[in-house]
Amino acid sequence: MKKPELLAPAGNLEKLKMAFLYGADAAYLGGKAYGLRAFNDNFSEDEIAEAVAFAHNLNKKVYVTVNIFPHNEDLAGLPEYIRQLDRIGVDGLIIADAGVFRIAREAAPELPIHVSTQANNTNWSSVLFWQNLGVRRVVLARELSLEEIREIRSHVQLELEAFVHGAMCISYSGRCLMSNYFTGRDANRGECTQSCRWKYHLMEETRPGEFYPVLEDERGTYIFNSKDLCLLPHIPDLVNSGLNSFKVEGRMKSVHYVATVVKVYREAIDSFLQDPAHYTVRPEWLAELQKISHRDYTTGFVFGKTTHQDQIYWSKSYLQTHDFIGLVREYDAARGWAVVEQRNNMKIGEEIEIVQPGKPPFVQTLSAMTDQAGNSIAVAPHPQQIVMLPVSQPIVPYAMLRRKVVKPSDE
């Protein structure tokens, strides 16, 4: 049984490091141009080089998105950019457009090519087409069932990748025109405004300014808003389908999201491969996925076509049970104290949970705290404030501190 790759999103260098430290085998990221997440931090060429060096030192991989649908003006500088990525040593390009594929083949003939989910590969013949052109991997369309994935695998030899967790898109394989129509920002060129998450009302042409809810709800309706994908309970089916890579969506999500999802899927995949006959989905894994910001979960298309039950019509409905409040920078084993970078207001007396790679979370009370000068403080209110605090168990750098929220957020 071949071990599938766990592929994590990396919106910036910190998220990439967290993804690898919490168990990802590979990460995908975008440069400052040519990718579909223009509003994310993204990576300069120097940062891509640093990311690749960090990954390769851990025997892990980095793939770079070049997956816009470019117009003529978007091609300026593309060949040299691809040559530079090749010199840096990235492990693959993720492309969606045949023109970009042609340029990549000329600019860097040996650089592995992955065909993006945006390319809408929904059948074995289209995947075989890319295989015959020398593509290393195809990222399958999200609209496929497990049965269809198995059939594709039976016809092709190249690597297959599919999304297993994260946000779903209203548009077929992510080919969205709504953002461009409403705002002039082209989702297919990296500027998606996520207009599928907006609240909508109905207005009749002869009665401008009179807005009517599309459903019987005075707050309006989110008619395009999908639940989030979560295939954690179906790891055995995914492994047995012949997929080579399990992809997590979320380059614009938080450090807490990336680390938590990766940690959970890492543990689940390893547990199944270690003992397939006795594999069970642990309740603590599912509980962990409730602690991050998410929408209600769905299995998407893997067991058939979606229905109204896979949509959320009444709100944006972001849920989470815990707030991310700090990231550990150092740990003083002799003293039992940690140096923490604050990410959310935290106070003495609060019960906090500490999460770190390869170990179960533990809970303790925040009993003391000092600033960098060693002065005792009762609260850390400033973003990215450096504080020191005692911890009840040994921890490692990049451990996360979080706090239970009284009520799930609705962002």
Side-chain angles (χ1 to χ4, degrees), residues 346-401:
M346 52 184 173
K347 303 173 184 176
I348 297 296
E350 291 182 326
E351 186 177 80
I352 62 172
E353 186 175 37
I354 299 179
V355 187
Q356 55 185 328
K359 296 181 180 180
F362 67 92
V363 175
Q364 68 167 64
T365 298
L366 184 52
S367 59
M369 190 162 46
T370 71
D371 62 18
Q372 282 182 287
N375 301 309
S376 294
I377 56 176
V379 61
H382 307 299
Q384 296 186 298
Q385 179 179 358
I386 302 298
V387 299
M388 278 72 77
L389 51 89
V391 290
S392 60
Q393 298 181 26
I395 59 175
V396 297
Y398 292 98
M400 298 183 296
L401 277 62

Side-chain angles (χ1 to χ4, degrees), residues 16-76:
L16 176 134
K17 291 180 178 180
M18 291 289 282
F20 285 143
L21 294 174
Y22 278 78
D25 299 303
Y28 63 102
L29 57 87
K32 296 295 185 182
Y34 309 115
L36 284 178
R37 291 294 181 268
F39 302 138
N40 200 39
D41 292 344
N42 292 320
F43 288 67
S44 67
E45 290 182 12
D46 287 343
E47 288 172 329
I48 294 174
E50 184 177 349
V52 169
F54 183 86
H56 289 179
N57 188 53
L58 297 173
N59 198 29
K60 297 174 186 284
K61 296 181 179 180
V62 171
Y63 311 127
V64 177
T65 59
V66 189
N67 58 345
I68 63 169
F69 290 108
H71 291 242
N72 292 327
E73 63 268 25
D74 297 315
L75 299 179

Side-chain angles (χ1 to χ4, degrees), residues 3-4 6 22-25 261-270:
K3 182 179 180 179
L6 178 57
Y22 278 78
D25 299 303
V261 174
V262 165
K263 185 175 188 290
V264 167
Y265 276 83
R266 174 79 285 143
E267 292 177 4
I269 292 168
D270 291 349

Side-chain angles (χ1 to χ4, degrees), residues 14 29-30 52 55 105 116-117 167 177 195 205 222 254 286 293 319 325 332 355 358 365 372 378 409:
E14 182 181 59
L29 57 87
V52 169
R105 271 288 173 257
S116 170
T117 191
L177 300 177
S195 45
E205 181 181 14
Y222 298 80
S254 69
L286 298 173
S293 180
L319 307 169
I325 60 173
D332 183 345
V355 187
T365 298
Q372 282 182 287
S409 63

Side-chain angles (χ1 to χ4, degrees), residues 21 47 88 180 248 257 292 304 322 333 373:
L21 294 174
E47 288 172 329
I88 288 171
N180 202 344
V248 176
Y257 169 94
I292 57 174
H322 288 66

Side-chain angles (χ1 to χ4, degrees), residues 117-335:
T117 191
Q118 305 290 128
N120 190 33
N121 285 283
T122 57
N123 62 80
W124 61 261
S125 183
S126 67
V127 176
L128 190 59
F129 166 82
W130 288 111
Q131 176 180 300
N132 292 339
L133 288 177
V135 161
R136 172 74 60 84
R137 177 184 297 182
V138 166
V139 188
L140 296 172
R142 286 182 173 132
E143 294 78 20
L144 292 178
S145 67
L146 273 172
E147 182 180 350
E148 290 173 306
I149 292 172
R150 293 189 194 101
E151 185 173 359
I152 290 172
R153 166 49 69 211
S154 71
H155 285 86
V156 302
Q157 286 75 51
L158 82 176
E159 296 176 4
L160 298 177
E161 176 181 309
F163 283 94
V164 299
H165 194 93
M168 299 285 283
C169 184
I170 185 64
S171 297
Y172 206 76
S173 294
R175 293 183 169 191
C176 184
L177 300 177
M178 289 175 58
S179 177
N180 202 344
Y181 178 78
F182 285 125
T183 69
R185 295 179 177 178
D186 192 344
N188 298 314
R189 297 167 80 183
E191 298 181 340
C192 180
T193 56
Q194 293 202 336
S195 45
C196 56
R197 311 299 180 194
W198 298 352
K199 181 188 293 186
Y200 290 89
H201 286 73
L202 180 68
M203 187 184 76
E204 199 273 325
E205 181 181 14
T206 63
R207 288 177 278 185
E210 296 184 32
F211 301 100
Y212 300 91
V214 182
L215 296 178
E216 292 298 324
D217 184 342
E218 69 278 3
R219 295 171 298 175
T221 183
Y222 298 80
I223 56 177
F224 304 115
N225 191 29
S226 172
K227 294 181 179 179
D228 283 353
L229 180 68
C230 176
L231 298 183
L232 179 75
H234 307 288
I235 294 295
D237 290 328
L238 293 168
V239 173
N240 291 324
S241 72
L243 288 171
N244 301 93
S245 182
F246 295 177
K247 189 171 193 173
V248 176
E249 182 276 338
R251 278 191 288 150
M252 298 180 73
K253 301 288 182 66
S254 69
V255 165
H256 181 220
Y257 169 94
V258 172
T260 302
V261 174
V262 165
K263 185 175 188 290
V264 167
Y265 276 83
R266 174 79 285 143
E267 292 177 4
I269 292 168
D270 291 349
S271 176
F272 172 69
L273 293 176
Q274 185 176 7
D275 189 3
H278 298 95
Y279 173 79
T280 58
V281 180
R282 298 176 190 166
E284 59 265 31
W285 294 339
L286 298 173
E288 281 292 292
L289 295 180
Q290 297 298 322
K291 294 177 181 179
I292 57 174
S293 180
H294 67 285
R295 303 175 188 90
D296 286 333
Y297 288 126
T298 173
T299 56
F301 292 84
V302 295
F303 297 110
K305 293 183 179 180
T306 58
T307 69
H308 67 280
Q309 294 181 340
D310 300 288
Q311 299 294 118
I312 307 172
Y313 295 121
W314 48 91
S315 74
K316 289 183 180 179
S317 65
Y318 284 97
L319 307 169
Q320 66 186 90
T321 62
H322 288 66
D323 284 331
F324 174 44
I325 60 173
L327 188 65
V328 173
R329 293 305 184 190
E330 299 176 34
Y331 173 65
D332 183 345
R335 191 181 178 205

